[in-house]
Amino acid sequence: MLHLPFPVQDANAGSGDKGFGDLPEWDLTDLYPSEDAPELRADLDWLEKECSAFAEAYEDKLADLDAAGLYECVQRNEKINNIAGRIMSFAGLRYYQHTTDAGRAKFMSDCQEKITLFTTPLVFFTLELNRLDDDALDQHFASHSELARYKPVFDRIRAMKPYQLSDKLEKFLHDLGVVGDAWEKLFDETIAGLTFFLDGDEYGIEGTLNFLTDQDRDKREAAANELARVFGENIRTFARVHNTQAKEKEVIDRWRGMPTPQTGRHLSNDVEPEVVEALRNAVVSAYPRLSHRYYELKRKWLGLDRMQVWDRNAPLPMETQKTVGWDEARKIVTDAYAGFDPRMADLAEPFFTDGWIDAGVKPGKAPGAFAHPTVTNVHPYVMLNYLGKPRDVMTLAHELGHGVHQRLAAPQGEMLSSTPLTLAETASVFGEMLTFRKLLETAKDQKERKVLLAGKVEDMINTVVRQIAFYDFECKLHEARRGGELTPDDINAIWMSIQAESLGPAFDYMDGYETFWAYIPHFVHSPFYVYAYAFGDGLVNALYANYEENPEGFQEKYFDMLKAGGSKHHKELLAPFGLDASDPKFWDKGLSMIEGFIDELEAMED
């Protein structure tokens, strides 16, 4: 029952140019002053002793506890979660700042191994909880209101009951976790260490991906070919990581009796498989009305007979090469947040002033962007790779949305603050929407409005269409892996089988594009995570439509939803807004907003 906080890199982290001001770096001293700090050593010592004492006090005894005793047990477990999470947050954030630094990598590995060793005696906790009698547990909840607050946590734990293994096997899998983590580290270090050459200069992955949004088509083509070259040279390593992790998952799922590779993700997300299936089907059926239609428009704007993959994120011809300085980006986002509710801007302010953001692109730094919640008695940290383009402003708005959400949910405590991934994207995507709407309101002419609308549609396609295509890729990959080892060509073929369907007939596909699955971190760090983006976007579109239709009292309901963290199911959280994600029509409502923006863009052509 150990819930270590872990950042998952966001999918659409931006790109851009130099010359955007002084960028902030993390100050991690709110966690620990240094890796050899006495406070850190004291916490490691405490954790080792407390895990042992916890097991001695409660193993084989949970069924004998009264409500007050079980509540005290939960409180002690939560404190263990907090200290372990604090240690791993510090180690992990230092590592993500410089993944190719051997000392930082060793420090994180050593911390992970120690915490895994210390917490192995705790494996009994969830196993015994799942053996408790339902009626007895209900009586405990009825008689103890503070314990009853944790019922959603118990419910999520007990949802795993049908898939639980023996105590000995569960402890074995717990200990083996550090081996699986090693494959994730191999992926991170390989990605961060890749070197690309363009026009005689050397770049990392972020700087090279940046060229795919350059105004100059020749530069975009050169970058795409260089990405393909380097991915191709390293494809055996990436294929080995995917093969190993997919096989490990298949073995564990088979032993647990999970019916599909996706089952574990749905359970951890506290979402029903049929809801995800309804979302997936709604998006796939909308491909022709969304991505296919938009990219055909973009093909005409670019004056091309055929689009190439390096044109997918190209700027529009009428778009000026704009660099957004850091101070301007900060003002845009905080003004948009304050326009919705001043409390949003207040919650975001310390990220800028107190060392809670690491924004610059640096050698060895992990690619992408994330907001890491750390632990509930510290604060979140946001990582960006800020390169000054308007899309980077949206990434800042997105990650600050996560940060605000995490701050609001923190009073729930370690076990209840963590929001299931399907709802974890709500505040981030809502923050993007607020920022976009603010920019749209202040557009000075039709040309600027068109650029803003097109940019938003592209972001939504990347968040909805592209992520559902990623989800389909993962489903096919894990299914194919059950039949045996996959060669790089096998994985390449699976990737290409979903690309044309999602992007549409406007595109041709360069040689080498078949390897572009290799750099997506979600496939390695968090299998089947990606549908959470589409879930979040559809949810926010429906929420924003609700805000426009019924603005009275919306802010309070919205804040209440964020403050709830993981203490309520999505049905409960959406009920005050009159929304229900289990209704298939719900997703059509969200997708219709994207269609509306494309309609407006098409009307501008007349």
Side-chain angles (χ1 to χ4, degrees):
M1 196 170 176
L2 191 70
H3 301 279
L4 293 183
F6 185 78
V8 179
Q9 279 105 336
D10 273 328
N12 301 317
S15 44
D17 249 320
K18 295 183 179 177
F20 24 77
D22 293 330
L23 298 177
E25 292 191 351
W26 282 331
D27 176 359
L28 299 179
T29 56
D30 287 344
L31 291 164
Y32 295 103
S34 67
E35 67 175 72
D36 56 1
E39 297 93 333
L40 177 57
R41 167 48 54 196
D43 277 351
L44 281 165
D45 289 344
W46 178 89
L47 190 66
E48 183 176 17
K49 290 171 186 168
E50 178 59 12
C51 288
S52 178
F54 184 91
E56 187 177 341
Y58 296 114
E59 190 164 13
D60 297 324
K61 300 168 188 172
L62 290 190
D64 300 326
L65 295 176
D66 60 12
L70 186 56
Y71 175 66
E72 182 185 341
C73 174
V74 168
Q75 293 287 289
R76 286 181 66 175
N77 180 77
E78 194 157 41
K79 177 75 181 292
I80 290 171
N81 272 269
N82 179 273
I83 298 301
R86 190 184 194 111
I87 294 166
M88 283 314 301
S89 293
F90 178 69
L93 291 173
R94 288 181 76 256
Y95 171 73
Y96 283 114
Q97 279 184 303
H98 198 171
T99 62
T100 53
D101 181 90
R104 294 187 185 215
K106 172 180 166 48
F107 178 70
M108 188 173 83
S109 293
D110 287 349
C111 286
Q112 182 68 71
E113 287 186 16
K114 285 175 184 175
I115 287 174
T116 299
L117 179 65
F118 297 165
T119 56
T120 296
L122 307 184
V123 172
F124 80 90
F125 186 52
T126 54
L127 305 178
E128 282 194 40
L129 279 180
N130 283 346
R131 289 197 284 266
L132 294 181
D133 180 73
D134 289 340
D135 291 339
L137 203 51
D138 287 342
Q139 286 173 16
H140 286 336
F141 293 144
S143 66
H144 199 292
S145 60
E146 285 299 305
L147 179 65
R149 199 171 73 81
Y150 289 89
K151 186 177 185 302
V153 178
F154 281 76
D155 288 344
R156 284 197 286 273
I157 292 168
R158 288 165 77 82
M160 280 292 294
K161 190 174 180 178
Y163 312 110
Q164 191 167 290
L165 300 174
S166 70
D167 292 15
K168 185 174 280 192
L169 273 174
E170 291 289 355
K171 286 182 180 179
F172 171 75
L173 288 176
H174 177 86
D175 282 351
L176 201 62
V178 293
V179 179
D181 291 345
W183 291 98
E184 294 178 19
K185 287 198 211 95
L186 174 63
F187 172 83
D188 289 338
E189 290 162 12
T190 303
I191 282 288
L194 295 181
T195 302
F196 305 84
F197 296 94
L198 290 162
D199 295 331
D201 291 323
E202 183 179 313
Y203 297 88
I205 182 94
E206 286 289 344
T208 311
L209 289 169
N210 162 53
F211 280 103
L212 297 181
T213 63
D214 200 278
Q215 196 76 255
D216 185 333
R217 192 171 192 236
D218 289 340
K219 287 183 179 178
R220 297 199 304 272
E221 180 178 0
N225 283 317
E226 180 65 358
L227 287 163
R229 180 188 71 80
V230 175
F231 292 159
E233 288 177 354
N234 292 273
I235 203 67
R236 291 177 66 185
T237 300
F238 292 121
R240 171 59 48 225
V241 170
H242 283 66
N243 264 292
T244 304
Q245 289 209 304
K247 183 60 181 177
E248 178 189 45
K249 187 175 188 337
E250 185 273 325
V251 170
I252 294 171
D253 285 351
R254 173 159 41 85
W255 275 76
R256 291 195 182 282
M258 289 191 171
T260 73
Q262 302 85 355
T263 298
R265 174 62 61 201
H266 300 334
L267 286 168
S268 68
N269 280 348
D270 197 20
V271 66
E272 302 75 17
E274 58 270 21
V275 172
V276 178
E277 190 67 12
L279 163 65
R280 182 261 172 203
N281 291 342
V283 173
V284 171
S285 67
Y287 283 171
R289 309 194 305 275
L290 300 178
S291 48
H292 297 188
R293 188 158 64 113
Y294 173 75
Y295 288 130
E296 181 57 27
L297 264 180
K298 187 167 186 176
R299 183 190 64 76
K300 293 176 185 174
W301 295 336
L302 294 173
L304 299 172
D305 292 328
R306 301 284 299 161
M307 292 257 281
Q308 269 291 350
V309 289
W310 57 76
D311 300 313
R312 186 173 63 82
N313 287 323
L316 303 188
M318 72 288 290
E319 191 173 336
T320 55
Q321 194 86 6
K322 182 181 180 184
T323 297
V324 183
W326 179 253
D327 290 342
E328 184 184 356
R330 172 180 174 176
K331 183 174 180 352
I332 289 167
V333 175
T334 52
D335 284 356
Y337 277 27
F340 172 71
D341 192 299
R343 290 174 292 176
M344 288 271 284
D346 291 343
L347 286 160
E349 183 66 11
F351 286 89
F352 295 100
T353 59
D354 294 357
W356 298 6
I357 298 177
D358 196 296
V361 175
K362 290 167 278 192
K365 183 176 175 181
F370 60 70
H372 188 342
T374 72
V375 288
T376 56
N377 56 348
V378 185
H379 56 76
Y381 283 91
V382 161
M383 191 192 84
L384 306 171
N385 278 277
Y386 190 83
L387 289 164
K389 281 202 174 165
R391 199 162 276 165
D392 290 344
V393 180
M394 289 300 173
T395 302
L396 173 61
H398 182 103
E399 300 308 336
L400 279 179
H402 279 308
V404 166
H405 192 176
Q406 289 158 0
R407 291 195 70 194
L408 285 168
Q412 294 284 352
E414 299 303 330
M415 293 165 66
L416 282 164
S417 62
S418 180
T419 309
L421 291 181
T422 41
L423 290 167
E425 293 299 327
T426 304
S428 53
V429 180
F430 198 83
E432 282 190 76
M433 182 63 81
L434 291 173
T435 305
F436 165 69
R437 294 287 186 172
K438 189 73 174 177
L439 290 170
L440 204 61
E441 281 173 23
T442 56
K444 60 181 183 288
D445 54 33
Q446 188 80 336
K447 183 179 92 168
E448 188 174 335
R449 184 177 177 86
K450 182 176 182 178
V451 169
L452 284 167
L453 274 172
K456 184 59 178 170
V457 168
E458 291 201 11
D459 285 345
M460 290 171 128
I461 287 173
N462 282 337
T463 306
V464 177
V465 169
R466 189 161 167 78
Q467 302 307 318
I468 290 299
F470 283 175
Y471 177 66
D472 279 354
F473 167 75
E474 287 190 276
C475 291
K476 287 187 175 184
L477 177 99
H478 282 262
E479 186 59 37
R481 183 63 183 90
R482 291 187 170 202
E485 175 88 4
L486 300 175
T487 66
D489 286 344
D490 292 334
I491 304 176
N492 293 347
I494 294 169
W495 173 257
M496 293 307 296
S497 74
I498 55 97
Q499 289 302 301
E501 180 188 19
S502 63
L503 295 178
F507 283 92
D508 287 332
Y509 300 93
M510 57 175 272
D511 288 343
Y513 182 65
E514 66 275 7
T515 64
F516 274 46
W517 54 269
Y519 77 97
I520 309 298
H522 304 74
F523 301 154
V524 175
H525 283 293
S526 230
F528 305 107
Y529 174 97
V530 288
Y531 72 74
Y533 288 111
F535 197 109
D537 197 272
L539 177 61
V540 165
N541 291 344
L543 266 181
Y544 201 88
N546 185 283
Y547 173 45
E548 290 184 315
E549 294 163 11
N550 306 292
E552 189 67 33
F554 181 90
Q555 282 87 341
E556 288 306 320
K557 288 189 286 187
Y558 180 73
F559 273 84
D560 286 345
M561 178 175 68
L562 300 190
K563 287 175 184 176
S567 66
K568 293 182 179 178
H569 188 265
H570 63 78
K571 272 186 177 290
E572 289 180 88
L573 289 172
L574 294 177
F577 303 95
L579 300 172
D580 181 2
S582 63
D583 179 358
K585 293 177 184 174
F586 172 85
W587 301 113
D588 292 329
K589 183 173 185 176
L591 295 172
S592 68
M593 181 177 285
I594 310 175
E595 287 187 76
F597 289 156
I598 299 173
D599 290 342
E600 188 173 344
L601 286 168
E602 283 186 333
M604 290 179 181
E605 298 301 289
D606 298 337

